Structure formats: C-alpha cells, structure tokens
Amino acid sequence: MRDVAGLKLRVLFSAGDQVLSSVSNALILFAMAGPSSVSEFGLAILVFSILTAALGFVRGAVGTPLLLMSAYSRNRIRTESRHATSGAAFFGIVVGIVALGVSVFLHEPQVGIAYAVAAPVVLAQDALRFTAMSMGEPEHAFFSDALWASVAFGVLVVTWLRPEALSIAEMIWLWSLAGALALVYLMIRVQTLPRLTGLYRWWTSFWTHRIRFGFESGIDQLAAIVIVAVSTAFIGTVAAASLRGAVTVLGPFAVLISSLPLIVIPESVRAGHTARQVWSTLRYAAWLTSAMAATIGFAAPFLPDALGRVVLGESWAEARHVLPFLGLEYAAICWIAGVYNLYRTQGASGRLLKLRIVQSLTAIVICSAAAALTGTAVGVAIGLALSSILVAVCLVVAAQRKHSGRESPAIVPSTVDRSEPGDLRRTRTGALAGTTT
C-alpha cells in the first residue's frame, strides 16, 4: 500500500510540475499579448518559439537519458545530472545569441537581450527538473516551477491592472529572474551543481543517441517555427499571432501530453514493465486527452469576447477562428505522443527520429501548400489538423498490431550492468540499452 501511495504522489507531482512549467511559459505569453498590438505580439512570440525549440531539444538530449536512468542510485543520477546541467546551460548561451540576432534583425534588440539572458537559465533549470524525476523526487521540481509560475502570474496581473506598466523586454527580464530563483532552489534540493570537467567526454559518450533524442524532441518545435514563418510570409504577422495565440489557449491542455514521458518512462523503468503493458496505459491516456483536446478546441471560440481579449488581447479575434481545427490537431497529437512515448521507454532513438521527421515534413508540406493556396490562417490550421490525423492513424495502427496481440519484451533488460561510470544503461554484451533503430 505504501508503494502504491508513493506512486500516486510521484504521478501527481510529475504531472503537476509539467503543468506549472508550461503555465509559467503560457502566463508570460498572456502577459505579452494583453497590452501589445497583434504585430508586436507576433514578433515577440516568433523569437520565443526559438527558445521553445531549444527547450524541446534539451528535454530529449538531456532529459530522456536521465529518465532512462531512473533505476540507478542517486549518486549515479547526480553524476549524470552535473554534466547535463552544464551542457544545457552552454547550449542556452548559443541559443541566446541566435535569439539576439533574430531580434536585432526584427528591430527589437531589447527583447533579444532579455531572451539571451533567459535562455541558459531556462534550459539549465529544465535539466534539473528531469534529475528530480529520475531520482523519484518530483516534488522538488514541482515547488521550483511553482515559484517560477507565481512570479509569471504576478507579471500577468500587473499587465491587467496597468497595461502600460511593463514593456515586453521588462516582462522577459522578470520571468528570467524568477527562473534563476527556481534554478537555485533545484540545485539545493537535488544537491547538484554544474560541472565543466569531463563535459566533452560526457557528451561524446553515446552522443548519437543524445542527438537523436534531442532532435526528435525538438524537431516539432522547429517545424512549428517553419510553419509560422511560411504563414507569415504568405499571410502576414496576423497569421503568426492567430496560430500561436490559439496554441497558447490550448497550452494548459497540451501539458497533459507533455507530462506523460515524465510519468511513464521512470515508472516503467523502475517496475520493469513490458511494452504491451506500457502501450495499454498510453492508449487509455490517449483516449482521455484526445477527447479533451477536441472539446476545448470546439468550445473555446464560444467564450465571451471580453474573456478572450483578457487572455490574448487583440489577437483573440483572429485566434478564435482557428481553434476548432487546432483542437482536432491536438487530439491526433495525443495518439502520436502515445506511440512516441512507447518507443522512448524502449530507448528507440533512431526509430523516434525517423518518425518525427516524417511527421514534421508532412505538416510543413501540407501547411505551406494551404498557406499558398488559401492565404488564410484558417487554411493553415486545417492543414495542421489533416497532417496530424494522417500521421496518427498510421502510427497507431502499427503500434496496435505489434503490441496488442502478444506479450512484448521487457522494457528494462534483466542483464543491466550499472557498474561502469559515464554510461546511460549498458547490457552485459556492452550495447547501450535503448539503441533500437
């Protein structure tokens, strides 16, 4: 009974942490949307998308290997985490420079400077979140993100009370300061400090799998940037504001999808579940979340106009038209995510990357054609829905055939050797557990 109670608490804290992590991002977007024009919001959110893409990459390259170490001792996880945090921060510096360059090109240098400072903080804090999950102590990540989300909510309240009180750049500065406090809190709680010594050796150990997991996790955000950029080119910044604004409305729901790996992977690794057991759980979750996505997408446009403007400001008038179609897109993504999480628990980095590339290219091609042919954000939203449904049907049919009719191999091999430092997971044959392609 104690183990069951502990599992329930870990699940609640893991899901709650992902909620808070996404909420802190969504709140700052809401804050920027309220007092700004559609054009200003479109430019700011385009740069924010670069940071989001980097966050996705780090969650795959750093977060997934940490989660796959959930059966290890705290000291082994902490050793991996020290390098992981340093690597995430270093990558954040590079991302910050890119964000600054884009902002300068868009004649928003102050916004770019704020993003450049925020990037390494955001990515390092996220790496430590996965450390807490892997250690079986998600409550530390939960309280860290609760602190961050509280400050972000305070910024939002200020924009409600005094719309002209803060510029977009000042909002980002406050948001990144809160992230720094959340990062320090996590360092103390998980007793992990960044380590530069041995960073190169850490990265080159199984670097191909880190790259695969990273690109798989971040490539959909890159695809989103391409789609928004193409839509902007054909339609204008109004398209960016409407599409990204609608995604922001669906953000709280999208958290449910992104929280599943934080729950399923570590618990499956610790329990030694079979692929069939994992697929059964993921399938049940997909039914629930896809129904919620479709409901939110179709119901949100009927919100009172005044409430919608509180959330997205002037962008609400454009975003409400694309919400039903993005609701369908998210419903399909629930099933796609279920299949991807199944492969993550198996460490199938090669297969994951191939499927994600196919999914992203499908979305880019269909949405680019829709933007060129229709010249409307609604047309692009329909393209997003169609591409996701097509990919979801193909993936689910394949997974169902493979894992529903017979018992599948165990997720965690019984021959794991945990003695060699620097490795993620090795079998006695010396092969990385999770090299399936």
Side-chain angles (χ1 to χ4, degrees):
M1 292 296 292
R2 184 176 301 176
D3 291 341
V4 173
L7 173 60
K8 289 181 178 179
L9 283 176
R10 289 196 299 272
V11 169
L12 288 175
F13 277 120
S14 297
D17 169 64
Q18 190 61 22
V19 169
L20 290 172
S21 177
S22 297
V23 161
S24 65
N25 295 342
L27 287 175
I28 201 66
L29 291 179
F30 289 150
M32 289 190 291
S36 61
S37 67
V38 175
S39 178
E40 289 173 336
F41 181 59
L43 292 175
I45 207 168
L46 182 62
V47 182
F48 191 87
S49 297
I50 297 174
L51 182 56
T52 304
L55 191 61
F57 180 86
V58 167
R59 286 178 177 177
V62 170
T64 298
L66 278 168
L67 293 179
L68 288 171
M69 293 180 66
S70 296
Y72 278 68
S73 68
R74 288 175 58 88
N75 287 336
R76 280 288 291 109
I77 296 172
R78 190 178 290 116
T79 299
E80 171 74 12
S81 176
R82 286 169 179 161
H83 290 121
T85 305
S86 299
F90 180 79
F91 182 58
I93 295 173
V94 176
V95 171
I97 293 173
V98 173
L100 176 59
V102 173
S103 299
V104 170
F105 178 76
L106 296 174
H107 307 292
E108 291 286 351
Q110 295 302 317
V111 172
I113 294 172
Y115 275 129
V117 174
V121 172
V122 172
L123 300 188
Q125 192 268 352
D126 212 69
L128 284 181
R129 286 177 58 235
F130 283 86
T131 300
M133 304 292 176
S134 185
M135 289 180 175
E137 300 172 354
E139 64 273 14
H140 300 325
F142 177 87
F143 290 116
S144 172
D145 281 314
L147 170 63
W148 199 346
S150 297
V151 175
F153 180 70
V155 173
L156 177 61
V157 171
V158 170
T159 63
W160 286 345
L161 298 177
R162 297 182 58 190
E164 306 300 326
L166 296 171
S167 66
I168 289 179
E170 289 170 338
M171 294 179 198
I172 299 170
W173 277 110
L174 290 172
W175 180 68
S176 61
L177 175 61
L181 294 175
L183 172 61
V184 171
Y185 174 85
L186 264 181
M187 286 181 180
I188 295 172
R189 297 304 297 172
V190 300
Q191 300 176 358
T192 301
L193 294 175
R195 175 183 292 174
L196 294 176
T197 305
L199 184 61
Y200 177 77
R201 180 179 179 275
W202 165 81
W203 175 256
T204 54
S205 299
F206 313 117
W207 68 271
T208 55
H209 295 283
R210 298 186 193 279
I211 290 291
R212 288 173 181 172
F213 280 129
F215 274 110
E216 180 277 320
S217 184
I219 200 170
D220 59 332
Q221 293 296 332
L222 291 174
I225 293 174
V226 172
I227 291 171
V228 170
V230 170
S231 301
T232 302
F234 280 105
I235 308 168
T237 55
V238 172
S242 61
L243 292 172
R244 298 302 296 179
V247 168
T248 302
V249 172
L250 289 165
F253 154 76
V255 171
L256 296 176
I257 304 175
S258 58
S259 67
L260 286 177
L262 303 181
I263 300 170
V264 174
I265 294 177
E267 296 303 331
S268 297
V269 169
R270 293 189 191 103
H273 286 165
T274 65
R276 181 179 177 182
Q277 290 173 310
V278 175
W279 175 234
S280 178
T281 300
L282 292 170
R283 189 173 52 198
Y284 176 76
W287 278 116
L288 292 178
T289 53
S290 61
M292 292 174 61
T295 301
I296 293 173
F298 281 96
F302 296 99
L303 288 173
D305 190 64
L307 180 58
R309 290 184 177 276
V310 168
V311 175
L312 286 179
E314 295 179 16
S315 302
W316 169 250
E318 302 295 333
R320 70 187 308 168
H321 297 302
V322 302
L323 273 168
F325 303 105
L326 292 188
L328 290 176
E329 179 204 9
Y330 271 75
I333 288 175
C334 291
W335 288 94
I336 295 173
V339 177
Y340 287 170
N341 286 328
L342 174 63
Y343 292 143
R344 284 192 187 99
T345 60
Q346 298 171 326
S349 59
R351 184 182 305 166
L352 273 169
L353 181 57
K354 292 175 185 176
L355 292 175
R356 184 71 82 173
I357 290 174
V358 170
Q359 177 196 354
S360 299
L361 289 178
T362 301
I364 290 172
V365 170
I366 292 179
C367 292
S368 297
L373 293 174
T374 67
T376 65
V378 172
V380 176
I382 293 174
L384 286 169
L386 288 176
S387 62
S388 296
I389 291 172
L390 176 63
V391 172
V393 170
C394 294
L395 291 181
V396 171
V397 168
Q400 188 71 10
R401 287 178 178 176
K402 186 173 183 180
H403 296 296
S404 64
R406 59 184 176 83
E407 193 68 21
S408 306
I411 298 298
V412 183
S414 59
T415 56
V416 170
D417 176 10
R418 302 174 186 170
S419 60
E420 187 173 348
D423 291 353
L424 298 179
R425 284 163 59 196
R426 280 186 177 272
T427 63
R428 287 174 184 168
T429 61
L432 176 67
T435 59
T436 308
T437 57

